[in-house]
Amino acid sequence: MRHATVLRTGLSALLVLGAWTAVGPSTASAAPTDSAELPASAALLSAMQRDLGLTEGQARTRLAEEKAATALEPKAQRAAGSAYGGSWFDPATGKLTVAVTDAAKAGAVRAAGAQTRIVENSAARLDAAMKRIDALSAPDGVASWRVDPATSRVVVNVVDSAQGDNDVRAFVAKARKAGPVTVERTAEAPQTFAAGTVGGDPYYTGNVRCSIGFSVHGGFVTAGHCGRAGQQVRGWDNSYIGNFQGSSFPGDDYAWVNVGSGWWTVPVVLGWGTVSDQLVRGSNEAPIGASICRSGSTTRWHCGRVLAKNETVNYSQGAVHQMTKTSVCAEGGDSGGSFISGDQAQGVTSGGWGNCSSGGETWYQPINEILNRYGLRLHTA
């Protein structure tokens, strides 16, 4: 690559979909003490106002509340012990709510700083039911299933048009035997968001265009359905980047690509020419209910909320487990792109339904699972 294009090439290819919503370079040394001082870029605040219907002040407050809830969640879970039934962020109160099966544990959880709700089933029981349902073979009319801590049930999502399908009914009947299950309807079946080769700032493997997630030391992470181990990867300028070193799909939807041949990794995400490049500072997991944003090579920046965790998504290629569902839209070519909450990496785009004109839902594969699976280290500022 020519020297003049090295920086542009490296950033756009490696970080095109990274945590664009993270901390802006101008605030890298700041130590935030309240919502007004949160390291939020103008682009993040603007996207939250557009997609979540917030004012700038409300967006700043939301970020501060979500940061506190994210830090509190593991402490509250420890306080609940075996009575823990799951947790979620409540935008109405700005606090973390923790479900508990034992009223005697509620006081300890509240003392830790969280709200509580008494529920019937523990997270362990619901997770066990999920595993039993995961072992079933799901027909196309079943979109997904997940643990819902707010209702203390496993929710099975069935496509509207398939409600009367005999195979769907049989699956639901078997699922009900696996544990506490409720059925909800969804408008469409999920699909992955890979796309044919088009222009922009993507990466390519074969004739497929996908989006890069987050830089790790030695490469980047992305979606597994975008390529298989050993396949070559080309950057936005069609130059060779590296190869898929590991890939899993279906079952999981994650992969990682090594970086070489003049390319390198930095904890920065390209701002698409409209905002400053952004920094990534960690990968603390945001709770259900938190606001979250996504970047992709087709639709770029969009925000929404975390709707569910530990959801199994039934794509036509097979089921993918332990996904996180969001209200963020996406389209073909966004696969592999980054989901971020505040300045914390959350995961890589897998698939969903709908589009960014009429809306929809999108799932991502959590980043920490990918890092642990391949022994990778997130590149952070």
Side-chain angles (χ1 to χ4, degrees):
M1 290 180 288
R2 295 188 300 276
H3 178 74
T5 64
V6 166
L7 181 58
R8 158 66 174 163
T9 303
L11 289 178
S12 62
L14 294 180
L15 305 165
V16 105
L17 301 183
W20 54 267
T21 62
V23 182
S26 63
T27 61
S29 60
T33 57
D34 58 39
S35 62
E37 297 177 4
L38 273 177
S41 70
L44 168 58
L45 296 173
S46 176
M48 291 179 70
Q49 292 174 71
R50 177 195 66 197
D51 294 338
L52 297 175
L54 304 174
T55 66
E56 180 178 343
Q58 289 171 333
R60 289 185 180 276
T61 298
R62 175 75 66 84
L63 288 172
E65 293 170 342
E66 291 172 352
K67 183 176 182 180
T70 298
L72 174 60
E73 192 169 33
K75 300 175 185 176
Q77 182 174 353
R78 288 194 295 271
S82 61
Y84 180 71
S87 53
W88 62 94
F89 174 76
D90 185 354
T93 64
K95 294 184 178 296
L96 183 75
T97 299
V98 176
V100 292
T101 59
D102 184 354
K105 290 287 188 179
V109 174
R110 286 194 293 270
Q115 302 176 140
T116 58
R117 179 184 296 181
I118 305 301
V119 296
E120 180 182 356
N121 302 298
S122 68
R125 184 185 180 197
L126 295 174
D127 288 344
M130 274 290 295
K131 289 182 179 179
R132 287 190 286 269
I133 299 173
D134 283 344
L136 302 176
S137 178
D140 291 342
V142 177
S144 63
W145 50 98
R146 71 181 189 276
V147 168
D148 180 18
T151 61
S152 196
R153 312 282 286 181
V154 175
V155 177
V156 175
N157 292 291
V158 176
V159 178
D160 269 333
S161 60
Q163 294 290 320
D165 183 84
N166 288 335
D167 290 339
V168 169
R169 290 187 175 188
F171 177 88
V172 170
K174 292 177 182 177
R176 291 188 188 280
K177 294 179 181 178
V181 165
T182 187
V183 177
E184 293 183 359
R185 297 185 178 188
T186 187
E188 298 179 33
Q191 59 184 341
T192 56
F193 284 128
T197 299
V198 297
D201 277 326
Y203 76 87
Y204 303 90
T205 177
N207 65 346
V208 171
R209 172 173 63 85
C210 280
S211 299
I212 295 166
F214 294 96
S215 287
V216 296
H217 289 272
F220 65 82
V221 295
T222 186
H225 69 263
C226 292
R228 294 301 180 206
Q231 284 190 281
Q232 289 191 358
V233 172
R234 309 186 309 279
W236 67 274
D237 62 351
N238 207 38
S239 67
Y240 171 72
I241 296 177
N243 295 73
F244 278 87
Q245 298 299 301
S247 179
S248 180
F249 179 80
D252 309 293
D253 194 5
Y254 49 60
W256 82 280
V257 175
N258 71 318
V259 168
S261 301
W263 299 76
W264 70 94
T265 69
V266 288
V268 176
V269 178
L270 188 68
W272 292 98
T274 58
V275 297
S276 300
D277 294 341
Q278 306 294 308
L279 300 178
V280 179
R281 295 196 176 277
S283 60
N284 293 327
E285 185 178 345
I288 294 172
S291 60
I292 194 166
C293 299
R294 178 195 57 75
S295 181
S297 63
T298 298
T299 58
R300 301 191 176 186
W301 302 357
H302 287 276
C303 295
R305 295 174 54 243
V306 177
L307 299 178
K309 296 183 181 181
N310 190 21
E311 183 152 7
T312 297
V313 182
N314 190 35
Y315 295 126
S316 61
Q317 301 95 326
V320 177
H321 309 298
Q322 296 179 323
M323 302 272 271
T324 298
K325 180 165 68 174
T326 75
S327 63
V328 188
C329 68
E331 296 180 13
D334 287 330
S335 279
S338 52
F339 269 89
I340 192 163
S341 180
D343 58 4
Q344 300 295 304
Q346 298 297 307
V348 300
T349 303
S350 174
W353 62 268
N355 56 56
C356 289
S357 296
S358 59
E361 294 176 338
T362 302
W363 286 266
Y364 66 81
Q365 182 86 66
I367 182 69
N368 289 327
E369 181 182 355
I370 308 172
L371 300 178
N372 292 335
R373 168 64 177 81
Y374 294 119
L376 300 171
R377 186 158 58 97
L378 186 68
H379 201 163
T380 58

